């Protein structure tokens, strides 16, 4: 089945640049995501420096005025969510794993897959170009609410317009990707593999893709209306012309909230695979997790207005949206507790991927429970748009984007690169990232309770904040941010050294059971020498090369 002859006949260009191989495309998304994480991280550094030393020149950036600060915050949030979280968790992991985990030779539409990456690449170019246009990059916040994003208030003409074009291109790339993911999982499974035999990671990628595809439509319409308001002077969001800026908020969050689950579900998929292997137990509550995932995906469309409790929506709407917001934590909790139940009485191996997986659960719980504060209008009224919400969404997002992704990265590194990484450097990376994540963001909860609003370039300008001496908490958070960025150095060293040394890992270094571990590391073109056939359910495959030790005795034939 695998035709390495085909691969060897390919030129460098078709093998590594315009490749249709899902494994190569996965790496392209991953390294582009890494590059954008460096850019997003640099902007986070600029934010932290400005908040701690307001008005002083920032080493590596220079002095910053308030409009520029708005741009830096806007682009930091935009890049981290759209150009880091999405390419790493959805595109890179989905592309690499779906065909391998279901026993397929590639995605259903390899050429479309290649096209989706290059449209994504174009979106990166357009977004970075927006930093260099007159007036600078978009500065209306990552939510790009009018009137802040309308032509009148957003400074330069091109910044927001290029932001809108870049986002539209990226959405197109992920729509094409989503079509590939869903079609491949539904139609190209190995003989004998039924839907409820698929690993959890594949389910999470499929549900996340469907949620993404169903949620983008309204925002694309909203973005076109904003583009028309900016370029030809329509008034969709201009009250003076009978328009309503609130309309954009509804369209943005109808997409924006499901979007956080588009990021969370693949992260949870990685956790399911890593926790199973390093507890030497099949996953607890497989079907329950699948139903909870589908429920999470569906309910994610019913909560969006919790972002607008204090924006002037009809107060009668607040109660139903508050109820749905609190309710959505139920299926998420079912999945999280199933993960914990998988650990119960397991033979836990604290490898680097396992540490990052456990780190994800503990930190994400903090992000999750502080969502309740915002789901209840009574407390959200005080905490909305303060540093409490900044801490909340970083505790929800960073565990997924960094911790769960690193769990996945270290877990599938041997399969992806045919090399083994260094465990000591891996653990050092984990400990530093875990410690400094908390030093950076815990103080922000306190700043939020002190009433410190977000998106303020110079807190010292405000008597209340000056009197409250917020600079001390900002200083601690900045130390944390430095520690967080420095803690990524062991990862960099580990990556370079392991790829140079290339210690061969063998097909199944972790003794896992899913199909990707039954073929070579890295897999050849076409993935499997012979087509695997599946006779039993997930994590109990009896394919040659799949570990059998954690299959319950009563299941073994
Ligand atoms: C590397 C460590 C990071 C640090 C130190 C950091 C710091 C910050 C700070 C201080 C703000 C608030 C700025 C303000 O309101 O004036 C902010 C905003 C934001 N951050 Fe981060 N962040 C980091 C990583 C991330 C990651 C990984 C994500 C998402 C995956 C993310 C997403 C966001 C978003 C969406 C905003 C809101 C932007 C806006 O107000 O428009 N950040 N970040
Ligand atoms: Cu939300």
């Amino acid at each position: 089945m695998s035709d390495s002859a085909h691969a060897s006949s390919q030129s460098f260009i078709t093998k590594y640049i315009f490749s249709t191989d899902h494994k190569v495309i996965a790496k392209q998304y991953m390294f582009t995501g890494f590059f954008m994480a460096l850019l997003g991280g640099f902007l986070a550094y600029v934010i932290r420096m400005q908040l701690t030393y307001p008005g002083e020149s920032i080493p590596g950036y220079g002095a910053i005025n308030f409009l520029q600060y708005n741009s830096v915050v806007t682009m930091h949030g935009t890049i981290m969510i759209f150009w880091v979280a999405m390419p790493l968790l959805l595109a890179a992991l989905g592309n690499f794993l779906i065909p391998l985990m279901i026993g397929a030779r590639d995605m259903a539409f390899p050429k479309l897959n290649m096209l989706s990456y290059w449209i994504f690449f174009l979106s990166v170019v357009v977004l970075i170009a927006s930093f260099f246009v007159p007036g600078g990059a978009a500065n209306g916040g990552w939510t790009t609410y009018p009137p802040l994003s309308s032509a009148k208030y957003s400074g330069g003409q091109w910044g927001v317009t290029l932001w809108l074009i870049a986002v539209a291109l990226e959405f197109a790339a992920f729509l094409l990707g989503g079509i590939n993911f869903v079609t491949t999982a539904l139609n190209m499974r190995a003989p004998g593999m039924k839907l409820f035999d698929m690993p959890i990671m594949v389910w999470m990628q499929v549900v996340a893709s469907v949620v993404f595809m169903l949620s983008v439509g309204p925002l694309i319409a909203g973005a076109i209306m904003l583009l028309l308001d900016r370029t030809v002077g329509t008034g969709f969001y201009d009250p003076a012309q009978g328009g309503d800026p609130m309309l954009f908020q509804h369209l943005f969050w109808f997409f924006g909230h499901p979007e956080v689950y588009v990021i969370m579900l693949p992260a949870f998929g990685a956790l399911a695979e890593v926790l199973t292997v390093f507890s030497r137990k099949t996953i607890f509550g497989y079907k329950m997790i699948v139903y909870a995932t589908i429920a999470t995906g569906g309910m994610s469309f019913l909560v969006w207005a919790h972002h607008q409790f204090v924006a002037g929506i009809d107060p009668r709407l607040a109660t139903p949206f508050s109820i749905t917001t609190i309710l959505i934590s139920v299926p998420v909790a079912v999945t999280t507790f199933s993960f914990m139940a998988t650990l119960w009485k397991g033979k836990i191996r604290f490898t680097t991927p396992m540490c990052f997986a456990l780190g994800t659960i503990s930190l994400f719980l903090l992000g999750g429970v502080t969502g309740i504060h915002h789901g209840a209008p009574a407390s959200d009224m005080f905490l909305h748009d303060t540093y409490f919400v900044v801490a909340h969404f970083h505790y929800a997002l960073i565990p997924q984007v960094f911790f769960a992704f690193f769990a996945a990265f270290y877990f599938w590194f041997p399969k992806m690169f045919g090399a083994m990484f260094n465990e000591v450097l891996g653990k050092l990376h984990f400990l530093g990232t875990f410690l400094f994540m908390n030093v950076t963001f815990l103080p922000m909860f306190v700043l939020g309770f002190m009433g410190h609003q977000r998106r303020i370039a110079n807190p010292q300008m405000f008597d209340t904040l000056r009197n409250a001496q917020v600079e001390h908490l900002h200083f601690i958070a900045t130390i944390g941010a430095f520690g967080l960025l420095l803690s990524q150095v062991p990862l960099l060293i580990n990556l370079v050294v392991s790829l140079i040394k290339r210690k061969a890992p063998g097909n199944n270094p972790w003794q896992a059971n899913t199909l990707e571990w039954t073929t070579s590391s890295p897999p050849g073109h076409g993935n499997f020498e012979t087509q695997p056939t599946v006779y039993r359910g997930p994590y109990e495959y009896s394919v040659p090369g799949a570990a059998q030790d954690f299959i319950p005795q009563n299941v073994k034939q």
Side-chain angles (χ1 to χ4, degrees):
M1 186 162 131
S2 133
D3 44 12
S4 34
H6 161 81
S8 54
S9 67
Q10 287 184 298
S11 69
F12 178 85
I13 295 284
T14 50
K15 200 169 176 184
Y16 294 110
I17 311 293
F18 296 112
S19 169
T20 59
D21 188 313
H22 70 101
K23 302 179 290 296
V24 176
I25 294 170
K27 286 176 192 162
Q28 290 173 323
Y29 272 113
M30 192 169 76
F31 286 113
T32 316
F34 280 167
F35 170 73
M36 294 305 269
L38 288 177
L39 182 54
F42 174 73
L43 295 173
Y45 150 77
V46 173
I47 294 171
R48 292 284 3 134
M49 289 300 281
Q50 168 62 17
L51 289 167
T52 311
Y53 306 104
E56 289 183 31
S57 172
I58 299 168
Y61 187 91
I64 188 171
N65 65 36
F66 291 1
L67 259 183
Q68 285 167 328
Y69 180 81
N70 291 354
S71 259
V72 169
V73 172
T74 302
M75 297 306 275
H76 162 75
T78 300
I79 287 173
M80 285 298 198
I81 291 201
F82 290 136
W83 276 274
V84 177
M86 296 271 283
L88 291 183
L89 287 165
L90 199 64
L93 293 183
N95 256 303
F96 186 73
L97 292 170
I98 294 177
L100 281 167
M101 285 185 133
I102 64 172
R105 51 177 297 110
D106 206 315
M107 285 287 174
F109 313 113
K111 290 201 179 75
L112 191 75
N113 207 16
M114 177 185 76
L115 177 67
S116 75
Y117 174 72
W118 286 104
I119 295 176
F120 170 73
F121 186 82
L122 185 61
S123 77
V124 171
V125 174
V126 173
L127 190 82
I128 292 179
S130 76
F131 282 100
F132 305 102
V133 291
N139 52 20
W142 86 281
T143 50
T144 303
Y145 287 173
L148 272 183
S149 57
S150 69
K152 198 162 152 208
Y153 295 101
S154 65
Q157 179 58 12
W158 281 104
V160 174
T161 303
L162 289 183
W163 186 96
L164 289 168
I165 295 171
V167 170
L169 283 169
E170 191 201 53
F171 283 4
F174 278 83
L175 280 171
L176 296 179
I179 294 167
N180 239 323
F181 285 15
V182 176
T183 314
T184 307
L186 293 183
N187 300 303
M188 296 178 68
R189 295 190 307 278
M193 184 186 274
K194 299 183 288 307
L195 271 180
F196 275 93
D197 296 333
M198 295 197 300
I200 296 280
M201 174 53 110
V202 180
W203 271 107
M204 295 287 184
Q205 290 282 349
V206 167
V207 175
S209 301
V210 173
V211 169
F212 179 79
M213 293 195 277
L214 293 177
S215 64
V216 276
L219 181 57
I220 291 176
I224 292 168
M225 289 191 271
L226 180 58
L227 213 53
L228 292 172
D229 276 15
R230 290 178 56 80
T231 50
V232 295
T234 51
F236 292 103
Y237 306 118
D238 180 5
Q241 297 183 59
D244 183 353
M246 184 63 84
L247 169 64
F248 185 87
Q249 294 195 22
H250 282 294
L251 297 173
F252 180 89
W253 285 113
F254 183 83
F255 156 80
H257 195 91
E259 168 71 1
V260 301
Y261 294 103
V262 169
I263 293 171
M264 183 192 88
L265 296 178
F268 270 20
L271 293 191
E273 308 304 334
V274 170
L275 293 172
T276 302
V277 170
F278 297 118
S279 346
R280 308 313 295 164
K281 278 178 59 184
T282 53
I283 194 105
F284 177 90
Y286 173 88
K287 277 210 170 141
M288 217 165 45
I289 294 176
V290 174
Y291 292 135
T293 302
I294 296 169
T296 307
M299 289 176 75
S300 74
F301 288 90
L302 306 175
V303 298
W304 81 87
H306 65 218
H307 293 273
Q308 298 150 270
F309 283 151
V310 294
I313 58 169
D314 183 326
R316 287 166 297 179
L317 270 180
T319 308
F321 276 101
S322 171
I323 293 170
T324 52
T325 301
I326 309 286
L327 272 182
I328 201 170
S329 47
V330 175
V332 176
V334 165
T335 306
T336 312
F337 291 128
S338 301
F339 288 164
M340 292 186 199
T342 305
L343 297 170
W344 179 251
K345 293 196 174 157
K347 297 191 202 89
I348 312 290
R349 288 166 56 192
F350 288 100
T351 58
T352 301
M354 187 57 160
C355 292
F356 273 107
L358 297 172
T360 308
I361 296 180
S362 56
L363 294 170
F364 178 70
L365 273 179
L366 203 57
V369 290
T370 50
I372 307 270
H373 296 63
H374 292 291
S379 48
D380 185 58
M381 206 166 288
F382 298 98
L383 296 172
H384 184 80
D385 264 358
T386 71
Y387 264 90
F388 190 93
V389 73
V390 175
H392 156 66
F393 65 67
H394 281 96
Y395 266 99
L397 285 166
I398 294 190
Q400 298 162 17
V401 180
F402 286 156
F403 286 77
F405 178 76
F406 286 139
F409 180 68
Y410 284 109
F411 183 60
W412 282 291
F413 183 87
K415 190 54 63 180
M416 228 180 198
F417 298 101
M420 215 47 205
F421 61 83
N422 176 291
E423 264 292 330
V424 178
L425 284 171
K427 295 255 172 55
L428 203 60
H429 175 216
F430 167 71
L431 289 170
T433 309
F434 189 88
L435 170 70
F436 289 112
M437 157 80 198
N438 292 300
V439 176
T440 309
F441 294 102
L442 279 177
M444 295 186 197
F445 283 121
V446 184
L447 286 170
F449 277 129
M450 291 160 92
H452 189 325
Q453 290 285 311
R454 61 192 284 200
R455 294 176 177 164
I456 287 181
N458 180 358
Q460 296 307 313
M461 272 174 58
F462 300 91
D463 301 347
T464 45
L465 298 179
R466 212 177 32 253
N467 301 343
Q469 297 189 319
V470 294
E471 62 273 16
H472 303 307
L473 288 169
H474 273 306
F475 182 73
I476 297 170
T478 301
I479 296 291
F482 267 102
L484 200 48
L485 296 177
L486 282 177
S487 304
Q488 308 316 305
V489 172
L491 165 71
L492 231 55
I493 298 171
N494 210 344
L495 196 60
V496 173
V497 173
S498 319
L499 290 179
I500 293 171
K501 271 203 187 150
R502 271 193 196 278
K503 196 172 127 224
N507 288 9
N508 197 354
W510 309 120
Q511 285 307 300
N513 177 272
T514 38
L515 295 184
E516 76 272 25
W517 301 107
T518 65
T519 184
S520 61
S521 304
H525 193 74
N527 294 343
F528 300 92
E529 285 304 319
T530 52
Q531 169 64 60
T533 302
V534 165
Y535 301 99
R536 273 202 300 262
Y539 311 107
E540 299 159 359
Y541 306 130
S542 56
V543 175
Q548 305 288 309
D549 66 305
F550 52 89
I551 297 178
Q553 288 308 319
N554 61 352
V555 174
K556 281 191 181 160
Q557 301 300 337

